[in-house]
Amino acid sequence: MIAEELVIACCTDLAGKVRGKAFPATQFDKRTKRGIGWTPTNVQITCFDTIAESPFGSLGDLVLIPDEKARVRVQLGGDVPTEHFALGDIRHTDGRPWEFCTRSILRDALERLDRVAGLKLFGAFEHEFQFRNGAVVIGEAYSVNGFRAERRLAETLVAAMREAGLEPDTFMKEFGAGQYEVTMGPSRGIAIADQSTILRELVRLVANASGKEVTFTPIRDPDAVGNGVHIHLSFLSGDKPATWDQNGKHELSKKAGQFVAGILKYLDSIIAITAPSVVSYLRLTPHRWSAAFNNLGFRDREASVRICPVSDLSDIAKASQFNFEFRAADATASPHLQLAAIVHAGVQGIEEDLPTPEATTEDLSLLDASALAARGYVRLPKSLPEALDRLSASPTVVGWFPARFVEIYAKHKKGEMAFLEGKNQKEICSLYERVY
Ligand code: GLU
Ligand code: MG
C-alpha cells in the first residue's frame, strides 16, 4: 500500500489533552510560518468530548504554528507508522499570541521570572502511570520481576526518548498494581513542559504498539495509590546553578526560598490548574505521598513542595544537583499551564520578598484547623469546585493570566463536571482512566 508521511502540529490545551492537525511532512518549513488553521472554541472541548460554554461560539480563526524545536520524529520499526509531531503556539491570524495558548502563557511566566529575578528555569517532570488491561498481579512493588514484565516496553521507550531528544533517566516498577514510573533529565524553559508532553505521548505510543493501554489518571481507585506528576525545578543565573546556598535556610538560595514561599502562599488558588480534574482530589489526601497541605518538606514525600536529596557521591556538583519538586500535580493538566501557574506563584513570592518557609517533619493531618492556621498552613481544597472557587477568588492569581482566561477556564471545568453529574465515584474514576 502507498503512504505519505504526515506530521501533526499540536498543543496542550485546557483539558490537558494534546490536540492538533496533520499535514504532509514535506510542508513542514512552510507551516512553521503560516501554520495550520485552528478554531477558538476547541479550547472548550472537555476531556469527555463535550463542549463547555464557549464565548467564541462558531466564530473566529486562529493559526497553530509548529515549532521546529519541539518536533519529534521516532521510528519504532516493524509495521508501526513513523511517529511525527511538533508542538506549537496558537496565534491570532495577525501573529499575536492567542490568550488561551498554553505555551504562550508559559512563555509569559518565564519572561516574568527572568525580568523580576534574572533567573531561568531548569527542570523535569517525573511521571507515574498504570497499565489498564492486564491481570492484576500482586507482590511486585519495586520488584525486578515487575520491571522484567515491561523490560521490552521500557527499552523501546528509552530508545524513543533518545530519538526524540529527551534524556532518559530511570524506569521502575512503582508501588501500585501495574504502576510504573519514568523520569528524564532536565531541560530549560519551555522545553521542560514540551518534554513532559512528548514523554506522555511516547509512553502511549510504545504501549499501543505492543497492544497495551496505559493511563496517567490521578487515581483509578480511591482505595489504591495514585499516579502523581512531580515537577522538579531549579534555577540558572546565566549558565550557573542558582538554587543552592550552603548557608541558606534548608540550603535554599534567597530567591529560591522566596519562590517556594510564593508557591505555598498561592497553592490553594493554583491547584485548580495543577491538579484540575474531579478525581485529582481523591489523590490529594493525607498518607498517599501526594499533597494535602501547603507545606514544604525537607526530603518528606508528604509535602506539596519537597527539597530533594543531593548525593556527595555524585559526579555532578551539589549546586547543580540541588532541586525541589512540586508534588501537587497530576497528568490531567497541561504541563504548560501547570508550570506557568507555579512560576507565577514563585515570582510573586520573590516580588513580595517572602521569607523561606519552615519545613515540616510531622504529620499535619493530626493538627486541627486552628493549630494549622497558627502555623500558616491550610488544608488544600478537597474538591474541584472548591479549588475553582479559590482560583476565581484571588485577584492576584487571576491577574497573572490573560484577560478572561480564568473565567473561561472555570467554565471549561464546569462543562467537564456537568458531564459527570449523576454518576457514582466508580464510574467517574473509570471515565477519567479512559481519557487520560
Ligand atoms: N504515587 C504517589 C503520588 O501519587 C507518589 C509516590 C512517590 O513518591 O513516588 O504522588
Ligand atoms: Mg513515584
Side-chain angles (χ1 to χ4, degrees):
M1 252 184 292
I2 60 166
E4 179 171 333
E5 187 172 325
L6 300 179
V7 51
I8 315 165
C10 53
C11 58
T12 65
D13 68 3
L14 271 50
K17 286 276 179 180
V18 186
R19 301 191 208 263
K21 222 184 224 185
F23 56 86
T26 50
Q27 296 176 1
F28 193 84
D29 290 343
K30 275 188 206 150
R31 296 284 183 182
T32 58
K33 294 181 188 75
R34 71 164 121 105
I36 54 163
W38 201 247
T39 310
T41 281
N42 284 4
V43 83
Q44 292 303 67
I45 301 177
T46 70
C47 61
F48 302 120
D49 288 347
T50 54
I51 301 184
E53 186 185 331
S54 165
F56 311 109
S58 57
L59 303 175
D61 283 290
L62 301 161
V63 283
L64 170 52
I65 302 180
D67 184 347
E68 174 68 50
K69 292 199 285 296
R71 183 178 184 180
V72 169
R73 188 170 183 276
V74 174
Q75 277 172 309
L76 290 191
D79 58 0
V80 183
T82 300
E83 181 72 15
H84 199 171
F85 63 88
L87 295 168
D89 288 18
I90 306 176
R91 296 181 178 273
H92 291 278
T93 51
D94 61 8
R96 278 176 300 127
W98 189 43
E99 290 75 4
F100 301 88
C101 166
T102 59
R103 228 165 159 245
S104 307
I105 288 172
L106 174 57
R107 198 170 281 116
D108 274 354
L110 294 169
E111 275 166 19
R112 184 175 170 214
L113 175 65
D114 197 9
R115 197 172 57 243
V116 171
L119 296 174
K120 300 254 189 293
L121 202 64
F122 190 56
F125 282 57
E126 169 185 334
H127 293 90
E128 292 170 340
F129 63 90
Q130 283 169 294
F131 286 92
R132 291 191 61 212
N133 37 2
V136 176
V137 183
I138 59 164
E140 296 295 16
Y142 299 101
S143 75
V144 171
N145 198 46
F147 173 82
R148 189 177 293 124
E150 297 304 339
R151 174 183 280 277
R152 191 184 298 276
L153 182 141
E155 291 183 350
T156 305
L157 177 64
V158 163
M161 287 169 72
R162 257 195 226 290
E163 264 199 62
L166 274 53
E167 192 189 323
D169 187 49
T170 65
F171 187 96
M172 70 155 177
K173 173 68 191 72
E174 249 288 0
F175 178 72
Q179 189 183 39
Y180 288 79
E181 177 187 292
V182 56
T183 64
M184 63 182 142
S187 52
R188 296 178 185 211
I190 294 279
I192 304 170
D194 287 349
Q195 294 201 348
S196 163
T197 312
I198 292 166
L199 193 269
R200 292 178 201 178
E201 292 306 315
L202 293 182
V203 171
R204 289 186 208 286
L205 171 75
V206 296
N208 294 348
S210 53
K212 294 176 176 170
E213 255 183 80
V214 291
T215 180
F216 288 84
T217 189
I219 202 156
R220 298 175 76 188
D221 168 1
D223 293 331
V225 297
N227 293 305
V229 166
H230 301 158
I231 306 176
H232 290 260
L233 297 174
S234 62
F235 304 105
L236 296 170
S237 169
D239 272 336
K240 293 209 179 67
T243 322
W244 184 61
D245 177 351
Q246 199 163 11
N247 303 313
K249 192 178 198 174
H250 318 308
E251 301 186 17
L252 284 163
S253 67
K254 181 161 189 257
K255 282 177 188 163
Q258 293 169 329
F259 189 95
V260 169
I263 294 176
L264 298 180
K265 176 171 173 184
Y266 292 97
L267 183 56
D268 63 330
S269 307
I270 62 169
I271 201 145
I273 294 175
T274 64
S277 71
V278 169
V279 289
S280 298
Y281 297 85
L282 299 175
R283 170 178 165 259
L284 296 177
T285 48
H287 310 140
R288 286 184 184 281
W289 291 20
S290 62
F293 303 92
N294 61 338
N295 61 320
L296 171 66
F298 189 75
R299 301 178 186 175
D300 174 3
R301 289 181 178 77
E302 279 271 320
S304 290
V305 176
R306 177 176 88 112
I307 298 176
C308 299
V310 284
S311 163
D312 295 332
L313 305 176
S314 175
D315 54 319
I316 305 168
K318 214 166 172 179
S320 300
Q321 290 180 50
F322 199 68
N323 73 90
F324 53 90
E325 66 176 354
F326 179 93
R327 297 173 68 88
D330 63 55
T332 59
S334 150
H336 300 84
L337 279 185
Q338 281 173 321
L339 205 51
I342 294 167
V343 169
H344 274 301
V347 179
Q348 190 74 32
I350 296 176
E351 281 186 343
E352 292 179 21
D353 197 17
L354 299 178
T356 299
E358 299 299 332
T360 54
T361 45
E362 84 266 45
D363 183 354
L364 292 184
S365 70
L366 299 175
L367 304 185
D368 63 23
S370 62
L372 279 174
R375 292 176 51 190
Y377 296 122
V378 294
R379 173 69 171 91
L380 296 174
K382 290 182 180 165
S383 69
L384 181 56
E386 197 191 320
L388 288 167
D389 285 347
R390 301 229 200 146
L391 170 64
S392 306
S394 170
T396 308
V397 175
V398 170
W400 297 336
F401 295 93
R404 300 198 68 192
F405 177 82
V406 168
E407 174 205 330
I408 288 164
Y409 181 80
K411 286 190 170 139
H412 179 117
K413 288 286 148 186
K414 280 181 187 134
E416 180 179 324
M417 289 187 284
F419 180 81
L420 300 172
E421 244 161 62
K423 298 187 167 58
N424 65 35
Q425 196 175 73
K426 201 165 185 272
E427 291 165 329
I428 292 174
C429 285
S430 143
L431 278 162
Y432 276 110
E433 167 179 332
R434 278 158 60 191
V435 301
Y436 290 105

